[in-house]
Amino acid sequence: MWTDRRNFLDLPPELCNWETASVVILPIPYEATTSWGTGTREGPAAIIEASRYLEWYDEELDREPYEAGVCTLPAIDLGTVGPEPAIARLRALYDDLLEAAGDRFVIGLGGEHSISSAPATAWVDRLGGDVTILQFDAHTDLRDRHHDSPWNHACVMRRVLERTRNIVSVGIRALTLEERGVIREHGIEVVFAHEMRHPGWVERAVRALGKNVYITFDVDFFDPSLMPATGTPEPGGGGWWDALDLLSRVFRERNVVGADVVELAPRRGEEASAFTAAKLVYKMIGFWSEDR
């Protein structure tokens, strides 16, 4: 049905076709509201290109997760119609994809973080609110408006909050006083980055999750020493093993329905960030397919 010659992991045709794949990669190279550094429109292509150099064997899982089959869809072009209609179009396309995908695991590749409201709210609507949105991020993204737009990337979780209060955020270390008030008012569970220096934060995050979980992973969750290629880097971020410690628990103990990885802004001569993002996606595939 859908295929792409330049596919995630550079898999042979029999392992990347729609009919047999259990995992779907959805590139969304959308960028319209970035605040500082730009380039997130190049993120999906950079992640897919870097994935061609990943080793297929995962030593932690002691297997090759690619065997689940990974279909890479053509990139979605949301045009230049403006943020609100662009996100509305993405939501309609994502709804159609979920209908066609059945029980396949869909991972969106951004693009700026504003795209995440479409899949997150799609899952909220499909599951009647019985889903928690797990946000890995440096920023709360709970502004009501930013740069005169409610659809700015800095407002994505505020748009999600309008549909569900089931949000858990980890790695946060940059927010406004207004956003702190929103967290308190709505009882959002937030694990701030400084709290991750002490034991128990993974348990706390997992306890706050419901049965079903949608993961949105802004790569600026990572410290800039690990992930410099992002538009709004913040010092004091999470490490690789911080992310995997939580992800492995969540995939093992909850039903992860979908995910996205956003805000990679690749830089020429600095390929490690794209490779890290690609490996993060592959680890998610491995964790998801562990019991399947």
Side-chain angles (χ1 to χ4, degrees), residues 25-273:
I25 301 294
L26 177 64
I28 313 169
Y30 175 74
E31 181 177 40
T33 72
T34 47
S35 302
W36 187 14
T38 60
T40 59
R41 69 179 70 86
E42 307 296 337
I47 292 172
I48 292 170
E49 176 64 20
S51 76
R52 301 173 65 224
Y53 303 97
L54 290 173
E55 297 292 356
W56 289 352
Y57 173 72
D58 186 312
E59 78 286 353
E60 180 183 7
L61 301 176
D62 193 22
R63 60 187 180 83
E64 296 181 310
Y66 78 90
E67 293 177 336
V70 183
C71 174
T72 304
L73 304 187
I76 291 180
D77 182 3
L78 296 178
T80 57
V81 293
E84 184 172 3
I87 300 305
R89 181 166 184 262
L90 176 58
R91 171 62 196 270
L93 291 169
Y94 193 84
D95 283 336
D96 289 344
L97 174 58
L98 290 185
E99 286 297 320
D103 60 358
R104 295 177 178 88
F105 185 59
V106 179
I107 304 177
L109 303 183
E112 66 171 59
H113 204 175
S114 61
I115 66 167
S116 302
S117 65
T121 57
W123 278 108
V124 169
D125 290 346
R126 286 174 72 89
L127 297 176
D130 186 22
V131 61
T132 304
I133 312 304
L134 174 58
Q135 173 196 13
F136 289 77
D137 210 324
H139 311 83
T140 53
D141 292 338
L142 285 169
R143 297 171 189 251
D144 188 47
R145 301 180 68 88
H146 192 52
H147 292 174
D148 296 322
S149 172
W151 298 97
N152 189 279
H153 72 108
C155 307
V156 59
M157 298 308 293
R158 187 65 168 264
R159 303 288 76 83
V160 173
L161 181 62
E162 291 172 347
R163 308 297 293 278
T164 180
R165 293 190 178 188
N166 297 331
I167 297 172
V168 175
S169 304
V170 296
I172 303 300
R173 53 199 188 276
L175 69 164
T176 67
L177 183 60
E178 175 196 2
E179 289 174 296
R180 191 67 175 95
V182 171
I183 290 168
R184 290 180 170 131
E185 177 185 355
H186 294 279
I188 299 171
E189 185 68 44
V190 176
V191 178
F192 291 100
H194 70 268
E195 297 175 307
M196 293 168 58
R197 295 180 296 168
H198 309 291
W201 70 270
V202 171
E203 288 284 349
R204 178 179 148 206
V206 173
R207 280 198 308 269
L209 300 172
K211 174 185 176 182
N212 302 301
V213 176
Y214 179 86
I215 296 171
T216 177
F217 200 114
D218 185 328
V219 297
D220 68 21
F221 162 86
F222 291 122
D223 190 81
S225 60
L226 177 61
M227 181 62 64
T230 188
T232 48
E234 287 282 346
W240 177 251
W241 296 113
D242 294 324
L244 293 196
D245 285 348
L246 179 53
L247 285 171
S248 63
R249 284 283 305 276
V250 173
F251 276 92
R252 186 167 63 250
E253 300 178 20
R254 299 294 190 271
N255 177 40
V256 180
V257 296
D260 63 66
V261 175
V262 298
E263 291 287 342
L264 175 71
R267 300 174 181 174
R268 187 179 301 276
E270 199 286 291
E271 283 74 31
S273 292

